[in-house]
Each structure stands twice: as C-alpha cells, then as structure tokens.
Amino acid sequence: MQQRGWVNAAIAAVVVIGVAAAVAQIRAADEAEATVIAPPHRTVDPAVAEARLLDSVLYVDDWREFGNPVGFTYVPKSRPPGLVSLGPGNPPNLSGGSHEGSGNGAHIDSYRLDGLFVAVEFSARPTETCTNAQDPPRAICVRDNKPTVPDPEDITLRHTTAYFTAGNTGNLKSKKADVAKRFWADAEFVPVTQAPWYNELVTRAEAAVQQ
C-alpha cells in the first residue's frame, strides 16, 4: 500500500512538472485543424518584465474569455512569493468539451516558484494526496482540509490541498521553501476576480501581447 501510495504521488508530481511542456504543446497546436477548438494563440513580448509569468497568465485568461476555463477559479488573495509562472494541472479539452479532472477527481492548479512546484487541488472532499506524499524529500504536503473563503457554491471546489515537488530535492529545504510553505499553508483563497495581484498581471499581459 505504501509503495502504491508513493507511485500515486510520483504521478501527481510528474503532472505538475510536465505542465509547462503540456502548455507549450497545446499552444503550438495547428489552429487550422477543424477538430481543434481553442482560443486564438497569443503570446507576450519576451522583452517585457516577467514575460514568462505574464505569458502563462495570458494563456489561462484567454481560455476563460473563450468560455472554457482551465482552472484558477480561486487563487490566493495575495501574490505567492517567488512566483515564476502558473498553468493548468488539468489540460484543456481541445475538442470543445469541458476540462477533465485528475485521476482522483480533483481540479489542479499549478504554480511554479523559484526551484519549486506547487500543486493546488480543489475537490469536494479530502483526497489521498497528502497521505501519498508522505515520502519526503521528493514531495511535501503543506495544506489539507482548509476550504477557500468564502465557501464556493460549487461543492467540487470546497476542499483545498497544496503540495510541493522539486526537481532538486534540496530546494524543498531551502529558506525560500520555508517562506513558500508558510504562505501556502495559510493563504486565503478568493475568487480570481477578487485577487488584485492576478488581475494586475492580466492587464499587464494584455498590454504586452505581441502583434
């Protein structure tokens, strides 16, 4: 059982680490294909400050405007320290259907920090993620059974779990990691429209779109 639990945690970690690659593949899909239903491909000018972060926010917001969100219904009320980029843990459905959840039914949002990945799960009830992540230093669970505020109308978003992974396990023991752990353990989650830091990034991303 312990071995199977770690395998599940490892799979979850791979999902998070692979988000950047998955996003790149999706955005590079040939929009001329009739079977692909996706928003127009837009990118941020790489010369602007925090271009990587702005580009990831633009991607998420474009899907939201398109009418088929890829997550980030709730985000931390304040900007996460060390944030480099973010992306959907549940990939978009390019055939036009709704986005599929993970294997355990949770909706996953991923945040990339400096040397760390944070996966935030939203689910209707507790998952086995934190139990399966009890094999440090490869994965560390920092939050479980702490709902968002206010309580979402959608019951599938009411349970919040957050865990860390890192390519270099030493990064999980750094001072930056300690700061991040404290933030994600106690961060108040609010609807994305009520998070000024996120909406400021959207505004900056829109202003920096390459023509």
Side-chain angles (χ1 to χ4, degrees):
M1 181 64 69
Q2 181 66 25
Q3 182 178 5
R4 184 170 60 185
W6 169 243
V7 170
N8 290 338
I11 292 174
V14 170
V15 169
V16 177
I17 295 174
V19 163
V23 168
Q25 291 176 350
I26 292 169
R27 299 194 72 162
D30 185 358
E31 294 176 6
E33 291 290 336
T35 57
V36 175
I37 302 176
H41 173 60
R42 300 195 300 168
T43 58
V44 166
D45 182 348
V48 303
E50 297 188 300
R52 181 178 180 182
L53 175 58
L54 296 181
D55 200 54
S56 66
V57 169
L58 180 67
Y59 173 76
V60 171
D61 196 61
D62 278 349
W63 272 101
R64 178 172 286 108
E65 292 296 321
F66 190 65
N68 199 352
V70 293
F72 299 93
T73 301
Y74 279 77
V75 299
K77 188 174 183 178
S78 58
R79 176 170 168 168
L83 185 61
V84 174
S85 66
L86 50 82
N90 304 129
N93 186 323
L94 299 182
S95 65
S98 62
H99 302 296
E100 299 179 356
S102 63
N104 62 5
H107 300 273
I108 303 177
D109 296 339
S110 72
Y111 297 80
R112 182 166 187 164
L113 313 181
D114 184 12
L116 296 169
F117 294 90
V118 184
V120 180
E121 290 185 347
F122 296 97
S123 56
R125 58 188 60 84
T127 67
E128 296 181 356
T129 296
C130 285
T131 299
N132 294 337
Q134 290 180 356
D135 187 13
R138 295 174 183 267
I140 297 177
C141 186
V142 298
R143 184 189 191 104
D144 195 20
N145 198 24
K146 293 184 178 181
T148 57
V149 178
D151 204 22
E153 293 183 5
D154 187 344
I155 191 173
T156 64
L157 301 176
R158 288 184 181 176
H159 187 89
T160 310
T161 304
Y163 61 96
F164 285 65
T165 64
N168 180 349
T169 56
N171 290 343
L172 291 171
K173 302 177 182 179
S174 67
K175 292 182 178 179
K176 290 182 180 179
D178 289 339
V179 172
K181 290 172 191 175
R182 289 194 294 271
F183 174 87
W184 288 97
D186 299 324
E188 177 183 349
F189 281 81
V190 297
V192 67
T193 56
Q194 297 178 21
W197 69 271
Y198 186 92
N199 292 287
E200 178 188 359
L201 291 177
V202 172
T203 299
R204 288 173 54 197
E206 289 286 353
V209 171
Q210 292 191 108
Q211 304 299 323

